[in-house]
Amino acid sequence: GPVLLILGIFCFEWYAFNCVFMLRGLGRWKGETIEVAFFRAFFFNAFWLLAIWSFLRCAFSDPGFVPRWWLDQNQGCRTEPSYFGWMPGRPSTCGKCEVPRPERAHHCSICGKCVLRMDHHCPWVGNCVGAYNHKYFILMLFYGILAAMTYGSSAAPVLAAMFGKGGGHWTIGNLGVKGWGLFSMGAVLSASLCLAMSILFLSHLWLMA
């Protein structure tokens, strides 16, 4: 499903950067120093690890399902049914799962439960984004953008050559034809992901402001 697709993209980007560009191409273009390659490797892998850690925490954490202790404490309390959303200032009974829920809890039709401060159900992480894992969703976007920017800046000569604005850039090591193809695919993919994640990240910041 979509979750396996995202994990596949994570793994492909890591392979194209580390096993192709860093290992075969020695991580630098002709005229660049070895310090440049070191910093590229450090920052890309640091951001990549933080991004996939945030992705896994968001995917496998409890998004904020109504806790059992809240249901036990509010058992017998009078609640009104609500079919269109939560009721400001007081608990309500969900019209779909017919379970009491606190203020600002929404029903997720995919999970079949009410989620505290639900934002949306994200198919790319296979989970709801709610009160308990919203932080990890934002961090995933943030670190993913930084990792994609690091890859894209490292592959700037490749991207420039694709648009006819450069040429004659060669790595210190030999990438080979297959290596060039894989690294170029990773460059285009990272640029596309950076744009998509930036739009999503900024829209969430605007909603939280």
Side-chain angles (χ1 to χ4, degrees):
V3 176
L4 293 178
L5 175 62
I6 297 298
L7 287 173
I9 291 174
F10 268 110
C11 293
F12 175 77
E13 291 287 289
W14 185 91
Y15 175 82
F17 188 89
N18 289 291
C19 298
V20 176
F21 182 59
M22 296 302 302
L23 192 61
R24 299 185 198 174
L26 301 181
R28 56 195 174 111
W29 305 94
K30 287 186 177 180
E32 294 179 339
T33 63
I34 194 171
E35 288 80 9
V36 174
F38 172 79
F39 282 113
R40 277 178 179 149
F42 174 80
F43 284 112
F44 174 80
N45 284 286
F47 294 142
W48 184 90
L49 283 171
L50 290 168
I52 196 167
W53 173 80
S54 301
F55 171 81
L56 294 173
R57 288 299 302 267
C58 183
F60 297 106
S61 294
D62 175 8
F65 297 128
V66 178
R68 173 56 58 184
W69 64 263
W70 188 91
L71 294 173
D72 292 339
Q73 286 185 0
N74 289 271
Q75 189 175 12
C77 292
R78 182 177 178 274
T79 59
E80 298 181 13
S82 176
Y83 296 94
F84 303 104
W86 57 274
M87 303 181 70
R90 62 182 186 273
S92 61
T93 299
C94 177
K96 296 179 180 178
C97 60
E98 298 181 351
V99 174
R101 62 185 179 184
E103 182 183 8
R104 298 191 66 190
H106 293 264
H107 183 84
C108 175
S109 58
I110 298 176
C111 295
K113 297 180 181 179
C114 286
V115 180
L116 303 175
R117 212 178 70 207
M118 177 183 171
D119 187 88
H120 68 289
H121 186 96
C122 181
W124 303 109
V125 299
N127 198 6
C128 280
V129 177
Y132 295 166
N133 67 347
H134 197 197
K135 173 181 69 175
Y136 300 119
F137 182 78
I138 297 298
L139 289 174
M140 176 192 69
L141 294 176
F142 177 68
Y143 292 126
I145 291 169
L146 294 178
M149 288 177 64
T150 306
Y151 193 122
S153 62
S154 301
V158 174
L159 295 172
M162 287 181 178
F163 293 98
K165 296 182 179 180
H169 295 280
W170 304 101
T171 54
I172 298 297
N174 183 18
L175 292 179
V177 177
K178 183 179 178 180
W180 272 106
L182 289 172
F183 187 61
S184 300
M185 286 176 58
V188 174
L189 186 59
S190 67
S192 303
L193 288 173
C194 185
L195 177 61
M197 288 188 295
S198 296
I199 294 173
L200 192 56
F201 179 71
L202 292 174
S203 66
H204 272 263
L205 288 184
W206 180 76
L207 289 172
M208 291 189 300

